Amino acid sequence: MSTGAAETDTQAENVATASNITPSSMQNTLKEKLQAEYTAIEDLSGGCGQAFNAIIVSSQFEKKNTLARHRLVNSALKAEIAAIHAWTPKCFTPEEWQKKQSEAGG
């Protein structure tokens, strides 16, 4: 029984290419589904769309632990994640993100 997810790297690459998965398309989905205030998605695969790191800031992460936040993001990007090889999200509330930016800047 197939789950619709790619089972090999070649299948994943074919699905990602056919699905036109880009950092921009994922950002748009996150802004639409999670009302993300800030997203930064980096393609680590050299442009083939197979490995991404992401920073996602959304008030929907309030009062949720890391696992619950990742589940929320993974649910929003279910089709995209099924088509790629590696996905690493870092999820912050607006307050957490502001604090992190203040610490980094000072």
Side-chain angles (χ1 to χ4, degrees):
M1 183 168 141
S2 176
T3 62
E7 295 176 5
T8 67
D9 288 348
T10 302
Q11 285 176 333
E13 187 172 342
N14 291 340
V15 172
T17 301
S19 302
N20 201 22
I21 296 169
T22 64
S24 179
S25 69
M26 288 191 289
Q27 287 174 317
N28 291 338
T29 299
L30 290 167
K31 287 178 181 177
E32 177 187 321
K33 293 186 177 180
L34 299 181
Q35 290 73 50
E37 297 176 20
Y38 174 78
T39 59
I41 300 178
E42 180 183 10
D43 184 346
L44 302 175
S45 62
C48 75
Q50 286 300 294
F52 296 93
N53 272 352
I55 295 172
I56 306 152
V57 179
S58 174
S59 58
Q60 289 192 23
F61 299 145
E62 297 282 349
K63 299 181 181 175
K64 289 184 173 54
N65 64 24
T66 301
L67 181 59
R69 293 174 184 195
H70 285 196
R71 285 180 175 161
L72 199 62
V73 170
N74 291 352
S75 177
L77 293 174
K78 186 175 184 175
E80 291 87 344
I81 291 171
I84 61 179
H85 180 72
W87 169 248
T88 306
K90 293 180 181 161
C91 306
F92 301 96
T93 65
E95 184 178 333
E96 291 167 342
W97 182 244
Q98 185 177 22
K99 183 178 178 184
K100 187 170 182 65
Q101 295 305 296
S102 295
E103 291 170 356

